[in-house]
Each structure stands twice: as C-alpha cells, then as structure tokens.
Amino acid sequence: MPVLPPFLVVPLLRSHLSLPVAPFPATHSPLVIMAAVASPTSVPATNDEPLALLTGECPAGDKVWASLLASNAQFATAGERPPAEGVSVTHRGSLAGGQSPSAVVVTCADSRLSPELLFARGLGELFVIRTAGNTTGDDSTVASVEYAVKNLSASLVVVLGHTKCGAVGAAVATEADPDAMAEQPRTLAAFVKEKLLAPVQAVKLRGDADESGFVAACEVENVHHAVRTLLTTSGWLAKTRVGGGVKVVGAMYHLETGVVEEC
C-alpha cells in the first residue's frame, strides 16, 4: 500500500479511526452470553474500518513478526524455551548498559501467558506492557509504547489478547447485567464498564456472532479495539506506522494450544 503524505495522515485518522475511549470475575455462563447477545441497544460501537487502512510497509517489523511466530510454533509443538544464552549471567550483565528490544508486546495481565516464554525470547528482547484485558487507552501504556519505538528502535508493536479472558468475560457479564460487578471493588467494576464494554457492544450491534461464538468474537474485537485505541490516542505512533517506521498488529494467544495467530 502506498505511503500517505503527512498532511493527509491526521485527517484520515480522525475520519477512519476515531473511536470512543472504551475499551473481573470471568463468567461465560449460557444465560449471561444469551443476555449479552440479545436485543442490541443504542450504544457506541467500535469502528469497523480495516485495521490496515492506514499503514506503510515496514520490512524490519515484518521480519521480527515472522521470527516471533516461528518461535511460537516451536513453543506450541515442542515446548521450546528461550535459548540459554538469553538468560545467562553474562547476557544479564551486558544488559546493564542498555536495551534494544526488537518488539513491544502489549498484553493481558493474566498469569497464564508470558510473552517471553510463548515467543521463546530471552532478557532484553521484548518490551512487555501488561494491563487488564490488554487495554491501551491510558497514558502509561501509550507513553511506554512510544518510548520503546522512538528511543529503543523497536520495529514491531503487538497487541496480544487471549482466549478465556476474564476481563472480557466480565464485560460480557456486565453488558447482560449492569449489576454483575456489584460485589467487586469499585475501581475494578468501573474499569470494566469504562474500558471493556465497547468491544462487547460492537459485536452485539453487528449481530454476526451466535451464542456459541459470542465470547470468542468479543475477545477478538477487544484486540482490534485496543489496536485502534492505541493508534487513535497516539498520533505520533499512527504517523510512524503510516511512514513505515513500525509494524502494528493484533494477535490472539490460544491457551489450549499455545498458538499465537494474527487477528
């Protein structure tokens, strides 16, 4: 895809990627899912424009992403671990002088996934940011991504969601019943309502997911929403992406199989 001139970037971003900033007990019971799917209400939906609408060629990012996926395939099939030299005493000491990670991974805080393990990478190779539900709208997350791309020369940003996500499950439950989080701490309940409902509402309004696939569709849409939110919040990152300076992708990690796939 041709690279757009800078004077077109901001207007296009505003028209195509502008979204509401929205997007824990996991509850995926049939009654909750049925209630969330039924009777779409008038709520703000996430933008359905293609994620690749505004992008440029980034050979460096493509190469890093291909390498990560290849290593993940080995992890999923043979349990490959980071190479010994990647966690050695000598290597660890060398990192005291600085870091040069090839990729940024924004992922969920869930204890069942670790980017360094599932991509078989050692210390200093990945710049990892973890948030509940791999959300990306807060200043700390955005600034961390910008820092790694601008100052550490990371050529790839991966927003990594996962199956069986408790945060998304909580959002599905809250969409079905606004009081679903009533017994949870106030900050936690507010976070789910403010940051994680929009992707669930978007899937609900589209009406293209049946009951059996509703939660999975919400998990994927949550990743798409996080990518769009990141690019909308950081105009600098969006421009850098259009100019080919960084590759930004969304992906899902499957807990059962160990496989990461772009989504």
Side-chain angles (χ1 to χ4, degrees):
M1 181 176 289
V3 176
L4 297 177
F7 69 87
L8 289 178
V9 172
V10 172
L12 281 173
L13 284 172
R14 287 174 178 167
S15 63
H16 290 291
L17 296 177
S18 181
L19 297 169
V21 177
F24 145 116
T27 183
H28 294 168
S29 70
L31 289 177
V32 167
I33 296 170
M34 288 174 64
V37 174
S39 303
T41 54
S42 297
V43 293
T46 52
N47 196 324
D48 289 328
E49 294 289 345
L51 290 175
L53 180 64
L54 293 173
T55 189
E57 297 296 326
C58 182
D62 290 338
K63 183 177 180 180
V64 172
W65 185 223
S67 177
L68 290 180
L69 290 177
S71 294
N72 171 254
Q74 291 297 311
F75 166 81
T77 59
E80 180 175 331
R81 293 296 187 96
E85 60 269 22
V87 293
S88 69
V89 173
T90 300
H91 178 65
R92 186 182 66 212
S94 71
L95 292 174
Q99 59 176 321
S100 55
S102 59
V104 181
V105 181
V106 183
T107 193
C108 186
D110 195 297
S111 66
R112 296 169 291 178
L113 73 160
S114 170
E116 292 88 350
L117 292 179
L118 60 91
F119 288 125
R121 289 299 188 267
L123 296 172
E125 295 189 76
L126 299 178
F127 193 92
V128 179
I129 304 161
R130 304 187 71 152
T131 64
N134 42 270
T135 53
T136 58
D138 64 285
D139 289 347
S140 176
T141 299
V142 174
S144 296
V145 173
E146 290 178 337
Y147 170 76
V149 174
K150 173 66 175 178
N151 297 287
L152 303 180
S153 300
S155 60
L156 173 69
V157 176
V158 182
V159 177
L160 182 63
H162 67 97
T163 57
K164 312 298 183 184
C165 181
V168 175
V172 170
T174 300
E175 173 61 18
D177 176 9
D179 294 324
M181 299 286 289
E183 299 301 317
Q184 296 297 317
R186 182 177 59 183
T187 301
L188 174 57
F191 176 83
V192 170
K193 289 184 177 181
E194 295 170 9
K195 303 297 183 181
L196 291 163
L197 275 184
V200 175
Q201 294 169 338
V203 173
K204 181 177 175 180
L205 287 175
R206 287 202 306 264
D208 56 2
D210 60 19
E211 180 185 335
S212 63
F214 184 74
V215 173
C218 290
E219 290 167 343
V220 171
E221 179 61 27
N222 187 55
V223 171
H224 292 175
H225 180 73
V227 171
R228 290 190 296 260
T229 299
L230 178 61
L231 293 170
T232 302
T233 305
S234 175
W236 178 85
L237 185 68
K239 292 177 184 178
T240 302
R241 182 193 189 205
V242 171
V246 67
K247 181 181 181 71
V248 181
V249 299
M252 285 291 296
Y253 173 64
H254 297 268
L255 293 181
E256 300 89 344
T257 64
V259 172
V260 172
E261 63 177 353
E262 189 169 344
C263 65

